[in-house]
Amino acid sequence: MNILLVEDDRRASEFLSQGLRALGHQVEQRFDGEAGLKAAMQGQYDVLLLDRMLPKLDGLDVVKRLRGIGNDTPTLILSALDEVDERVQGLRAGGDDYLAKPYHLEELTARLEALTRRKGASSLNDRLKLADLELDARARKVTRGGKKIDLTTREFQLLEFLMRHARQVVTRTMILEGVWDYHFDPKTNVIDVHISRLRQAIDKDFTVQLLHTVRGAGYTLSEDP
Amino acid sequence: MGLVRLLRSSIARVAVLHGLVLAAAMIAVLSGVYIATDRLIANEGDQLISIELQNLTESFKNLDAEAFVATIVDRADDPWIRGGVYELHGPRGDFLAGNVVVLSDLKTPPGEWTEFEVADTNNDTDLSRQIRAKVEDLGGGYHLLVGHDVQDRRAFKTVMLHSVIWAVLATLLFGVIGGWWLARRISRTAKAISSSAARIALGNLTERLPLSGNGDEIDTLVSQFNELLARVDTLTTTLRAVLDSTAHDLRGHLNRIRGAAQDASLKATSPEETSAVTLVLTEIDRLSDTLQGLLRIALAESGTVPLERVDLSAITADLVEFYQPVASQPLQADITPSLWVRGHRQLLTQALSNALDNALKYGRGSTVSIRLVRHEQHALLTISDQGPGIPAEQREWAKQRFRRLPGSSGLPGSGLGLSLIAAVARLHQAELNLQDAEPGLALCLSLPLSHE
């Protein structure tokens, strides 16, 4: 991934870009809002990593200006402010996702992955397919190998979320936000239990397992183990 | 019933009181006038009679008996005083002249006043006239009675009394109307103030109370109150700014530390290094969780978060469904649908999630039940477990920050869960009670319903 990182905290920027480079991404760094906006307008980036509070030009203003000139590079806003209401503001300004500091590198990369993929795959597609697992969002129907699978409403939403992010790592936080719209950590293994129930429903009677746990990060729905 | 309710309203009470006070003042003033006038008229009448008696006494001295009797006869026919009566007795007590015959019956000693009634000879009716008279000893055995009709005085009294009654009734009526108008004006201002105050209490600190603009005492009060509000607003804004910048600063530091630790973990070469760095990362995460918890509590307590109408029933039902799979006994939910409250969805959800999590954790595998019902103008949410509960004397203590109950050391938690619930409850003007569920703990939250 080709990433533009705009962050005025030089040390944090250094650690983050090192971490991202170690994972095989290209990272360009800018340290204030104006320089960030200029770079974003001139370069071709897969994703924009933008701090919320930047000198010279605020992070939110950078996104607004970019969106104003038709630049829709996926943007993840990083913020040291509490995300309770800040998050809404960030998304309203045109940001695609929001992550509060301090964050886990795994969480950040999973979200970057989701953002860049989202652009390609049509998120409006009603018929989702992974190997022999099929989901019809409109008819609310799930089949595997042609066999109908009964799911509760929430299990269905969970599966739909995972299928829209197929072959990507999704974190527990992403699931909480995407499926339940919960923006806090419930501190229990509730998500794991929901996932294992879903796994029971879709993987139990089949040899190829689709729903995998990614250690230290979250889950992935994929035909490859 | 309607009247009782009406009288209970402060406007009606003020109006009636105002009317009564005015009427009482009117009664006092008019009674004074009445008594004084009555006395004045009575004195004037008595004076007239005294003067007439004096004149006649003089005449008696200057005239002989026959001429005097003739004078009295003339006077009796055509009294000098309106409604005057005369009676002259001779030395043997015999009637000599006059237009009344009462002296022998009255036996009034000379120099004294007397009152009596005589038949009205002018009319054919059997009406009688009230007479007030004085008797004088003229000397030589002659006695003279001169009196006059006090009918006029009585008529005056009646007219006066009627006037007083009407005046008092009119005063009462206008007093009530005036009082009503006055009280309604004040009550309208009070209502405007109280509805503004209610909105301000809900967290809208930028709102100000309305000024009527006529510069009266109420305006002075309102503008002073507005100044107070501005001060509270400034303090709250400052507090929020301090909170935000502290949060920002601490998170920035934590982020750098975490970045460094993460960096170190990528470069770790030995298992010892890896485990040391992992420990650091775990501690940083725990620290940022605690910071997050404290900041959320502070945010809820600052009262500066915007509230909107939210469906408490839906939020509760979603949480029940969310926690259902981790409960060892199925959750028992009894949720009245569509109970809307004014709230902050995320904070409310997090607080209720904490409550449910606590019930599942401290209930130790017992059945947890969730009940959401409407009680008058409130949504009443009760989450109860059948665990060991909290002793009554520790319930207030448990709501404070970093309090963990004895025996919970083996369970995960930061000691902030219940304080967040308490702070969120305050933000929502909700009442939070910890009760004995016999056995277990019942957490009761009573939130004011929102109608729109």
Side-chain angles (χ1 to χ4, degrees), chain B residues 43-364:
Chain B
N43 279 345
E44 211 168 287
D46 288 359
Q47 230 170 339
L48 278 175
I49 288 163
S50 299
I51 291 166
E52 175 77 338
L53 260 176
Q54 227 174 330
N55 288 342
L56 290 172
T57 311
E58 287 297 313
S59 311
F60 179 76
K61 281 179 190 159
N62 301 332
L63 299 170
D64 59 11
E66 207 170 320
F68 186 70
V69 169
T71 306
I72 296 301
V73 169
D74 284 350
R75 283 280 165 78
D77 281 351
D78 181 16
W80 284 19
I81 306 168
R82 216 153 66 84
V85 294
Y86 300 86
E87 188 176 353
L88 180 67
H89 278 207
R92 291 187 299 277
D94 50 336
F95 177 86
L96 297 178
N99 52 7
V100 288
V101 188
V102 289
L103 203 49
S104 50
D105 293 336
L106 285 172
K107 296 187 175 71
T108 308
E112 291 293 313
W113 289 91
T114 181
E115 283 187 22
F116 53 89
E117 286 186 358
V118 293
D120 192 346
T121 49
N122 294 332
N123 300 312
D124 293 334
T125 55
D126 51 7
L127 281 172
S128 59
R129 300 197 300 154
Q130 181 79 25
I131 303 291
R132 181 171 165 83
K134 200 180 176 185
V135 182
E136 202 65 69
D137 186 358
L138 299 175
Y142 288 90
H143 284 87
L144 176 65
L145 174 142
V146 177
H148 79 139
D149 198 335
V150 288
Q151 207 67 34
D152 283 358
R153 220 176 109 196
R154 280 165 122 204
F156 167 79
K157 267 191 183 175
T158 315
V159 169
M160 188 82 182
L161 207 63
H162 283 159
S163 308
V164 168
I165 289 169
W166 281 114
V168 167
L169 284 179
T171 312
L172 193 64
L173 182 70
F174 286 117
V176 168
I177 291 171
W180 187 277
W181 177 79
L182 205 69
R184 230 166 71 105
R185 225 189 111 217
I186 294 171
S187 145
R188 263 198 208 146
T189 316
K191 254 185 210 149
I193 293 176
S194 81
S195 71
S196 289
R199 280 196 297 276
I200 292 160
L202 281 173
N204 183 9
L205 287 170
T206 51
E207 176 155 349
R208 292 291 174 266
L209 298 180
L211 282 166
S212 67
N214 50 21
D216 56 10
E217 291 84 347
I218 292 175
D219 261 14
T220 313
L221 176 74
V222 164
S223 61
Q224 271 167 0
F225 194 79
N226 280 344
E227 268 169 44
L228 183 78
L229 271 179
R231 179 103 184 94
V232 173
D233 190 17
T234 313
L235 281 177
T236 317
T237 314
T238 314
L239 198 70
R240 179 75 199 262
V242 169
L243 190 67
D244 281 349
S245 64
T246 311
H248 185 259
D249 202 46
L250 287 176
R251 283 165 191 269
H253 284 304
L254 276 175
N255 193 43
R256 274 198 295 280
I257 299 171
R258 202 177 199 290
Q262 187 115 38
D263 191 45
S265 82
L266 292 174
K267 290 171 184 159
T269 48
S270 66
E272 287 81 18
E273 277 177 26
T274 308
S275 79
V277 170
T278 309
L279 183 72
V280 171
L281 284 172
T282 314
E283 283 306 314
I284 292 169
D285 289 346
R286 194 172 290 173
L287 184 59
S288 53
D289 278 348
T290 304
L291 176 69
Q292 168 87 336
L294 281 172
L295 289 171
R296 286 272 163 105
I297 293 169
L299 184 72
E301 279 181 345
S302 77
T304 54
V305 289
L307 302 182
E308 54 178 1
R309 267 189 105 222
V310 293
D311 186 347
L312 184 63
S313 307
I315 289 177
T316 313
D318 279 354
L319 276 170
V320 168
E321 182 245 33
F322 182 69
Y323 277 101
Q324 193 66 266
V326 288
S328 44
Q329 305 283 334
L331 297 170
Q332 291 189 345
D334 172 14
I335 297 167
T336 308
S338 295
L339 294 180
W340 291 75
V341 297
R342 271 187 67 76
H344 188 284
R345 181 184 297 280
Q346 293 301 338
L347 287 174
L348 200 52
T349 308
Q350 190 174 356
L352 297 186
S353 151
N354 282 358
L356 258 172
D357 190 49
N358 277 350
L360 289 167
K361 207 157 64 183
Y362 295 110
R364 299 175 196 213

